[in-house]
């Protein structure tokens, strides 16, 4: 980064506000039924997680 990058803000304030509002809308649903989602793990991280599952530190992926 350079001095000219000081004005750059991440995440964008509009994106951040949208994410906060989305989380607020989901709160009741999540409290009643939990939250499910899929995530891609690169091979090294997936193997790290599976090692811990096999070692009984985590229940499942």
């Amino acid at each position: 980064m350079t001095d000219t990058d000081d004005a750059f803000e991440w995440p964008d304030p509009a994106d951040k506000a949208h994410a906060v509002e989305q989380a607020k809308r989901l709160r009741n649903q999540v409290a009643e039924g939990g939250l499910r989602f899929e995530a891609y793990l690169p091979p090294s991280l997936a193997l790290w997680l599976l090692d811990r599952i096999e070692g009984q530190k985590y229940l499942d992926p």
Side-chain angles (χ1 to χ4, degrees), residues 15-61:
D15 290 339
K16 186 175 181 180
H18 174 74
V20 169
E21 288 304 313
Q22 183 180 28
K24 287 178 181 178
R25 286 192 306 271
L26 290 172
R27 184 165 292 281
N28 290 338
Q29 177 184 340
V30 168
E32 293 175 12
L35 180 65
R36 289 181 176 258
F37 58 92
E38 290 186 30
Y40 169 79
L41 299 178
S44 61
L45 186 54
L47 290 171
W48 175 87
L49 179 59
L50 289 176
D51 287 344
R52 273 127 193 98
I53 293 167
E54 290 171 359
Q56 299 181 355
K57 292 185 187 259
Y58 299 111
L59 179 61
D60 64 33

